[in-house]
Amino acid sequence: MKNRLLLASLLGIFFLSSCAVIRQGEVGVKSRFGKLSDTSLDAGLVGFNPFTTRVIKVPIRTVNQEIRLPLPSKEGLTIESEISILYSIEKNKVPFILEDIGENYERVLILNVFRSAAADITAQYMAKDMHSGMRSEIEKEIQERMHESLRQRGFVVERVLMKSINLPTELSRAIERKLKAEQEAQQMEYILERERKEAERRKIEAEGTREAQKILAEGLVREIIELRSIEAFRELANSPNTKIIITDGKTPYLINSQK
């Protein structure tokens, strides 16, 4: 009985050790006596002889590799950075990658290509550019440079993201001062433009008032003045108060009034 249990246990261990589970987002490649298979294995349960063969699993989903790297700038400064590389592997190229580069393809190839591309690109830009709106342009250029080197070998570089850029303290302060000065200049320009528009509005308003007064003055001819005098005499005549009026017959002048 004990022998049967021992035999069953050994068979169970052998069975488990001769199976491999390939998960979704992975492919497997069998290596028999060190020789790689030309085809890859899809997700699922895979059987193999553990004494002669092993299954190498390689992810084909998008991989996020984060790297801390000092980058050179155009003016010769060293910029500490944290950058993410998003890449994936073409399924049909997995056996070739394992045979040509090995299982440490990320360290051997991808990271070295990235360091070279990143240094070449950032050396063409000023340090302040990495901290401004040009960051996306730098990311794109690094991605394109890596794509040129890696695509033929089965790697797809999807994105390069500069997550953080740490400028030297003095440079960072200088950039902040410059940005503050630019904001103040923009604010002053806005105030000046507003004052110019207000002055123009007042000028137009004054010109309109002057033009109205000119038209009114031109309209005060002798006949209109006499008509206004007659209307004034009529209003005085209708008033019940006692009045003393001195007039030349044209314009009235009231010198006294009492009830």
Side-chain angles (χ1 to χ4, degrees):
M1 185 65 179
K2 291 182 179 181
N3 292 334
R4 289 181 180 179
L5 290 174
L6 179 60
L7 180 61
S9 299
L10 292 174
L11 289 174
I13 293 172
F14 177 78
F15 176 77
L16 292 175
S17 62
S18 62
C19 293
V21 177
I22 301 174
R23 296 179 175 82
Q24 291 293 331
E26 294 180 335
V27 295
V29 177
K30 287 185 177 182
S31 173
R32 187 170 182 273
F33 292 118
K35 184 178 180 179
L36 294 169
S37 172
D38 295 332
T39 58
S40 58
L41 305 170
D42 293 329
L45 186 64
V46 177
F48 63 96
N49 185 344
F51 298 108
T52 61
T53 307
R54 70 188 184 98
V55 176
I56 304 173
K57 302 175 187 178
V58 177
I60 57 173
R61 61 184 178 275
T62 299
V63 176
N64 178 20
Q65 177 62 48
E66 296 187 354
I67 306 166
R68 291 186 177 273
L69 182 71
L71 296 174
S73 67
K74 189 174 182 178
E75 63 266 56
L77 297 175
T78 299
I79 312 301
E80 294 297 329
S81 67
E82 182 179 352
I83 302 178
S84 286
I85 306 171
L86 303 180
Y87 75 92
S88 58
I89 299 175
E90 296 179 13
K91 178 180 176 181
N92 60 337
K93 294 288 185 70
V94 171
F96 166 76
I97 291 172
L98 292 176
E99 181 177 359
D100 187 52
I101 306 170
E103 296 180 54
N104 294 324
Y105 55 83
E106 189 174 82
R107 177 178 58 82
V108 172
L109 183 63
I110 294 178
L111 295 184
N112 285 328
V113 169
F114 164 72
R115 290 188 178 94
S116 175
D120 288 345
I121 298 301
T122 58
Q124 302 173 25
Y125 289 87
M126 304 294 285
K128 63 182 180 62
D129 297 334
M130 304 180 203
H131 205 267
S132 66
M134 298 188 71
R135 178 184 296 193
S136 59
E137 183 177 335
I138 297 173
E139 293 172 344
K140 185 177 180 181
E141 289 190 28
I142 296 174
Q143 176 189 351
E144 291 175 351
R145 181 71 64 86
M146 294 182 67
H147 182 78
E148 292 175 2
S149 301
L150 298 175
R151 183 58 188 268
Q152 296 299 321
R153 309 190 79 166
F155 298 95
V156 178
V157 180
E158 300 174 7
R159 290 289 301 275
V160 173
L161 303 173
M162 302 179 75
K163 297 178 63 177
S164 66
I165 298 294
N166 297 320
L167 301 177
T169 304
E170 289 303 320
L171 177 60
S172 180
R173 291 176 180 173
I175 292 175
E176 290 177 0
R177 288 193 296 268
K178 181 180 178 181
L179 291 175
K180 184 178 180 180
E182 290 176 351
Q183 291 174 355
E184 291 176 349
Q186 291 175 357
Q187 179 67 16
M188 182 58 65
E189 182 64 27
Y190 168 77
I191 293 173
L192 292 175
E193 181 64 22
R194 185 182 64 186
E195 293 298 328
R196 281 194 293 266
K197 290 182 178 180
E198 178 64 18
E200 186 175 351
R201 184 193 67 79
R202 292 177 180 176
K203 179 181 178 182
I204 294 172
E205 183 179 6
E207 289 177 352
T209 302
R210 184 171 62 251
E211 188 66 22
Q213 292 174 345
K214 181 179 178 182
I215 293 172
L216 181 61
E218 290 176 351
L220 292 177
V221 295
R222 182 172 59 80
E223 291 81 1
I224 293 177
I225 294 175
E226 290 178 354
L227 177 61
R228 292 290 184 267
S229 297
I230 294 170
E231 291 176 352
F233 276 123
R234 184 179 296 122
E235 290 180 0
L236 289 172
N238 293 330
S239 174
N241 299 329
T242 303
K243 297 167 284 294
I244 299 175
I245 301 174
I246 299 174
T247 179
D248 59 358
K250 296 179 180 180
T251 58
Y253 177 58
L254 182 64
I255 63 173
N256 184 26
S257 83
Q258 60 183 9
K259 292 185 180 181

